Short mmCIF file of all heavy atoms in Angstrom, two decimals:
data_model
loop_
_atom_site.label_atom_id
_atom_site.label_comp_id
_atom_site.label_asym_id
_atom_site.label_seq_id
_atom_site.Cartn_x
_atom_site.Cartn_y
_atom_site.Cartn_z
N LEU X 461 228.13 -51.91 1.76
CA LEU X 461 227.86 -53.30 2.13
C LEU X 461 228.68 -53.68 3.36
O LEU X 461 229.16 -54.81 3.49
CB LEU X 461 228.22 -54.23 0.95
CG LEU X 461 227.32 -54.08 -0.27
CD1 LEU X 461 227.89 -54.80 -1.48
CD2 LEU X 461 225.93 -54.62 0.02
N TYR X 462 228.84 -52.75 4.25
CA TYR X 462 229.64 -52.95 5.45
C TYR X 462 229.16 -54.16 6.25
O TYR X 462 227.98 -54.26 6.62
CB TYR X 462 229.53 -51.67 6.29
CG TYR X 462 230.25 -51.69 7.61
CD1 TYR X 462 231.63 -51.48 7.64
CD2 TYR X 462 229.57 -51.90 8.78
CE1 TYR X 462 232.30 -51.48 8.85
CE2 TYR X 462 230.23 -51.90 9.99
CZ TYR X 462 231.60 -51.69 10.02
OH TYR X 462 232.25 -51.69 11.22
N ARG X 463 230.05 -55.08 6.50
CA ARG X 463 229.77 -56.29 7.28
C ARG X 463 228.60 -57.11 6.74
O ARG X 463 227.83 -57.71 7.51
CB ARG X 463 229.51 -55.94 8.75
CG ARG X 463 230.80 -55.65 9.51
CD ARG X 463 230.57 -55.55 10.98
NE ARG X 463 231.70 -54.89 11.66
CZ ARG X 463 232.79 -55.54 12.10
NH1 ARG X 463 232.87 -56.83 11.97
NH2 ARG X 463 233.77 -54.87 12.67
N CYS X 464 228.40 -57.11 5.44
CA CYS X 464 227.43 -58.05 4.85
C CYS X 464 228.20 -59.34 4.62
O CYS X 464 228.68 -59.60 3.51
CB CYS X 464 226.87 -57.52 3.54
SG CYS X 464 225.86 -56.08 3.80
N ALA X 465 228.33 -60.08 5.67
CA ALA X 465 229.30 -61.17 5.65
C ALA X 465 228.88 -62.31 4.74
O ALA X 465 229.68 -63.18 4.42
CB ALA X 465 229.49 -61.68 7.07
N CYS X 466 227.62 -62.33 4.31
CA CYS X 466 227.14 -63.50 3.58
C CYS X 466 227.27 -63.36 2.07
O CYS X 466 226.89 -64.26 1.33
CB CYS X 466 225.68 -63.77 3.92
SG CYS X 466 225.49 -64.19 5.65
N PHE X 467 227.73 -62.27 1.60
CA PHE X 467 227.82 -62.19 0.16
C PHE X 467 229.28 -62.34 -0.28
O PHE X 467 230.20 -62.01 0.48
CB PHE X 467 227.14 -60.92 -0.36
CG PHE X 467 228.05 -59.82 -0.75
CD1 PHE X 467 228.35 -59.60 -2.09
CD2 PHE X 467 228.60 -58.96 0.19
CE1 PHE X 467 229.17 -58.58 -2.46
CE2 PHE X 467 229.42 -57.94 -0.18
CZ PHE X 467 229.72 -57.74 -1.50
N GLY X 468 229.45 -62.86 -1.47
CA GLY X 468 230.80 -63.23 -1.87
C GLY X 468 231.20 -62.75 -3.24
O GLY X 468 230.69 -61.74 -3.74
N ASP X 469 232.11 -63.43 -3.82
CA ASP X 469 232.75 -63.00 -5.06
C ASP X 469 231.76 -62.86 -6.22
O ASP X 469 231.88 -61.91 -7.01
CB ASP X 469 233.83 -64.00 -5.45
CG ASP X 469 234.98 -63.97 -4.46
OD1 ASP X 469 235.12 -62.92 -3.77
OD2 ASP X 469 235.70 -64.96 -4.38
N ASP X 470 230.80 -63.74 -6.28
CA ASP X 470 229.86 -63.68 -7.41
C ASP X 470 229.03 -62.41 -7.37
O ASP X 470 228.79 -61.76 -8.40
CB ASP X 470 228.94 -64.90 -7.38
CG ASP X 470 229.72 -66.18 -7.64
OD1 ASP X 470 230.84 -66.07 -8.20
OD2 ASP X 470 229.23 -67.26 -7.26
N GLY X 471 228.60 -62.08 -6.16
CA GLY X 471 227.82 -60.85 -6.01
C GLY X 471 228.63 -59.64 -6.44
O GLY X 471 228.15 -58.77 -7.17
N LEU X 472 229.86 -59.62 -6.00
CA LEU X 472 230.72 -58.48 -6.34
C LEU X 472 230.96 -58.41 -7.84
O LEU X 472 230.99 -57.32 -8.43
CB LEU X 472 232.04 -58.60 -5.59
CG LEU X 472 232.96 -57.39 -5.62
CD1 LEU X 472 232.21 -56.14 -5.17
CD2 LEU X 472 234.17 -57.61 -4.73
N ALA X 473 231.10 -59.55 -8.44
CA ALA X 473 231.29 -59.57 -9.88
C ALA X 473 230.06 -59.00 -10.59
O ALA X 473 230.19 -58.20 -11.53
CB ALA X 473 231.53 -61.00 -10.34
N ALA X 474 228.88 -59.35 -10.08
CA ALA X 474 227.65 -58.83 -10.68
C ALA X 474 227.59 -57.32 -10.53
O ALA X 474 227.23 -56.59 -11.47
CB ALA X 474 226.45 -59.49 -10.02
N LEU X 475 227.93 -56.85 -9.35
CA LEU X 475 227.93 -55.40 -9.10
C LEU X 475 228.89 -54.72 -10.06
O LEU X 475 228.56 -53.68 -10.67
CB LEU X 475 228.38 -55.10 -7.67
CG LEU X 475 227.35 -55.22 -6.56
CD1 LEU X 475 228.02 -54.97 -5.23
CD2 LEU X 475 226.23 -54.21 -6.77
N SER X 476 230.08 -55.28 -10.19
CA SER X 476 231.09 -54.64 -11.02
C SER X 476 230.67 -54.62 -12.49
O SER X 476 231.03 -53.70 -13.23
CB SER X 476 232.42 -55.40 -10.88
OG SER X 476 232.75 -55.56 -9.54
N ARG X 477 229.94 -55.59 -12.85
CA ARG X 477 229.49 -55.62 -14.24
C ARG X 477 228.36 -54.62 -14.47
O ARG X 477 228.32 -53.92 -15.48
CB ARG X 477 228.98 -57.03 -14.59
CG ARG X 477 230.04 -57.97 -15.08
CD ARG X 477 229.39 -59.18 -15.77
NE ARG X 477 228.36 -59.81 -14.94
CZ ARG X 477 228.63 -60.76 -14.02
NH1 ARG X 477 229.87 -61.14 -13.82
NH2 ARG X 477 227.66 -61.30 -13.32
N GLY X 478 227.46 -54.54 -13.47
CA GLY X 478 226.25 -53.77 -13.71
C GLY X 478 226.34 -52.29 -13.32
O GLY X 478 225.90 -51.42 -14.06
N CYS X 479 226.88 -52.04 -12.16
CA CYS X 479 226.86 -50.65 -11.65
C CYS X 479 228.13 -49.94 -12.08
O CYS X 479 229.03 -49.72 -11.26
CB CYS X 479 226.71 -50.65 -10.15
SG CYS X 479 225.39 -51.67 -9.55
N LYS X 480 228.19 -49.58 -13.33
CA LYS X 480 229.42 -49.03 -13.88
C LYS X 480 229.75 -47.64 -13.35
O LYS X 480 230.89 -47.20 -13.41
CB LYS X 480 229.33 -48.97 -15.40
CG LYS X 480 229.42 -50.32 -16.06
CD LYS X 480 230.83 -50.86 -15.99
CE LYS X 480 230.92 -52.15 -16.80
NZ LYS X 480 232.15 -52.88 -16.52
N SER X 481 228.72 -46.95 -12.87
CA SER X 481 229.01 -45.59 -12.44
C SER X 481 229.32 -45.50 -10.94
O SER X 481 229.48 -44.40 -10.43
CB SER X 481 227.85 -44.67 -12.80
OG SER X 481 226.62 -45.30 -12.54
N LEU X 482 229.40 -46.64 -10.29
CA LEU X 482 229.73 -46.61 -8.85
C LEU X 482 230.99 -45.80 -8.60
O LEU X 482 232.01 -46.01 -9.24
CB LEU X 482 229.95 -48.03 -8.36
CG LEU X 482 228.82 -48.78 -7.65
CD1 LEU X 482 229.32 -50.11 -7.17
CD2 LEU X 482 228.29 -47.98 -6.49
N ASN X 483 230.91 -44.89 -7.67
CA ASN X 483 232.15 -44.22 -7.30
C ASN X 483 232.48 -44.38 -5.83
O ASN X 483 233.54 -43.96 -5.39
CB ASN X 483 232.14 -42.73 -7.69
CG ASN X 483 231.04 -41.96 -7.02
OD1 ASN X 483 230.65 -42.27 -5.89
ND2 ASN X 483 230.51 -40.97 -7.70
N ARG X 484 231.59 -45.01 -5.12
CA ARG X 484 231.86 -45.22 -3.69
C ARG X 484 231.39 -46.61 -3.32
O ARG X 484 230.18 -46.91 -3.45
CB ARG X 484 231.10 -44.16 -2.90
CG ARG X 484 231.44 -44.06 -1.45
CD ARG X 484 230.59 -42.98 -0.83
NE ARG X 484 230.61 -43.06 0.60
CZ ARG X 484 231.40 -42.30 1.37
NH1 ARG X 484 232.16 -41.40 0.83
NH2 ARG X 484 231.39 -42.46 2.68
N LEU X 485 232.29 -47.43 -2.87
CA LEU X 485 231.96 -48.81 -2.58
C LEU X 485 232.59 -49.20 -1.26
O LEU X 485 233.80 -49.06 -1.06
CB LEU X 485 232.47 -49.71 -3.71
CG LEU X 485 232.17 -51.21 -3.62
CD1 LEU X 485 230.67 -51.45 -3.57
CD2 LEU X 485 232.78 -51.94 -4.80
N ILE X 486 231.73 -49.68 -0.36
CA ILE X 486 232.23 -50.08 0.96
C ILE X 486 232.03 -51.57 1.12
O ILE X 486 230.90 -52.05 1.12
CB ILE X 486 231.51 -49.27 2.06
CG1 ILE X 486 231.85 -47.79 1.90
CG2 ILE X 486 231.96 -49.75 3.43
CD1 ILE X 486 230.99 -46.89 2.75
N LEU X 487 233.12 -52.26 1.22
CA LEU X 487 233.07 -53.73 1.32
C LEU X 487 233.75 -54.20 2.60
O LEU X 487 234.15 -55.36 2.69
CB LEU X 487 233.78 -54.35 0.10
CG LEU X 487 233.18 -54.03 -1.26
CD1 LEU X 487 234.09 -54.51 -2.39
CD2 LEU X 487 231.82 -54.69 -1.41
#
Side-chain angles (χ1 to χ4, degrees):
Chain X
L461 293 168
Y462 178 79
R463 282 190 197 273
C464 293
C466 297
F467 103 100
D469 293 338
D470 294 340
L472 190 53
L475 278 176
S476 309
R477 272 196 309 273
C479 309
K480 287 287 186 194
S481 42
L482 262 184
N483 61 32
R484 190 180 165 99
L485 183 59
I486 297 169
L487 298 171

